[in-house]
Amino acid sequence: MEELRPSALFGEHVAAGATMTPFAGWNMPLRYTSDREEHRAVRESVGKFDLSHMGQVEVEGPQAGAVLDYSLCTKPSTMPAGRARYSMMLAPDGGIIDDLIVYRLEEARYLVVPNGANRITVVEELTRRGREWCAKNEASESHSIVDRTLERALIAVQGPESLEAVVALLGPEDAERVAALGYYRALEAKVDGVPAMIARTGYTGETGYEIMLPASAAPDVWRKIEAKACGLASRDTLRLEAGMPLYGNELGRDVTPADAGAARLPADHEFVGGAALAERKPTWDLYALVGEGRRAARAGNTAMSEGREVGKVTSGALSPTLGYPIALARLEPGIVEGAVLDVDVRGTLQPMRVTSLPFYKRPR
């Protein structure tokens, strides 16, 4: 059995009585109290999450932007410094290796944050693709790719009161800068006196911030953040309400961006997997489903239309905020909004209506 890696905050979780669970090779908190209570805290006030299992990979140097453009389906080189962008790394056949966020910190300095389970693959692919780009362009290497994950931590502070919780740890000047930070923007500041990066990003559908800082400083900062500690279980229902995909559920090597409802994501440029996308017709599309009652569809449940199977549910839950079942499903393309499908929920066909995403949205 693979030994699980503890995050820098493992001691804090254990001391708080968290239920721990294996996740992406790490020993992470599943919940501290109840899933519903933690979910509600983020929707109504503020919650904090340990996301230190997420990768933190620095890409620097004159070629950094070009290498990332070639490695990913978007063009990070077109972002101004201080911006972030959601992206995907594709396999040569167009399948999704990972979805990730790229931050441009300076002209020639980027931070890539991949999913914990795919971190090593992403680092290896960035390294290989960087060399391939240099060979194609007859250029000597003038970029570096360094995995900083094990020496860093990532704390997410999410909810309508997240700004107050974050600025309480900052000096007046940094507090003013963070208060003015727009969505998918990032800056470097001192958090409780420690150099860190603060991004206005998140995975909950709420106003929120993600703090990336040295692992050694994380426990002190965690204790000083006045927010309810939340685990992975509530994070999953929050992201589902926000209509955000999860790698391994909505995303994977067997689907393309178009199959996952992200046909518009790839930019028009040369990147690994791009030629395959041009030739590969979408097999699926991603749909949002809502039901009635209290029985929630789960990943793997079959969706039927007039007695014929049209796809599978990829994620489902009884929405804590909305009070009715919601689900994401990978279905045949062309199903119209408002259509009613029958979903096999533990042997019983349950009607669910196709709707638009997100299920829940708070004005930014």
Side-chain angles (χ1 to χ4, degrees), residues 153-177:
L154 198 164
I155 299 171
V157 186
Q158 302 283 302
E161 298 174 11
S162 56
L163 176 59
E164 293 85 343
V166 171
V167 299
L169 305 174
L170 309 176
E173 184 177 337
D174 284 340
E176 185 174 340
R177 293 168 61 224

Side-chain angles (χ1 to χ4, degrees), residues 37 75 91-92 100 104 243 273 292 297 305 350:
E37 185 179 324
K75 290 189 70 176
L100 43 80
R104 189 172 195 172
E292 298 179 353
S305 176
Q350 177 168 306

Side-chain angles (χ1 to χ4, degrees), residues 329-343:
R330 190 180 299 153
L331 308 175
E332 295 176 357
I335 299 175
V336 298
E337 186 173 338
V340 177
L341 306 179
D342 292 317
V343 179

Side-chain angles (χ1 to χ4, degrees), residues 188-199:
E188 292 178 292
K190 287 192 174 181
V191 178
D192 195 33
V194 177
M197 190 184 90
I198 302 174

Side-chain angles (χ1 to χ4, degrees), residues 29-31 35 38-39 230-238:
L30 181 64
R31 65 180 59 87
D35 300 343
E38 292 172 17
H39 183 108
C230 301
L232 294 175
S234 61
R235 187 169 182 254
D236 191 49
T237 51
L238 289 159

Side-chain angles (χ1 to χ4, degrees), residues 262-278:
R264 296 182 179 181
L265 184 65
D268 184 13
H269 70 295
E270 182 186 8
F271 62 93
V272 177
L277 289 186

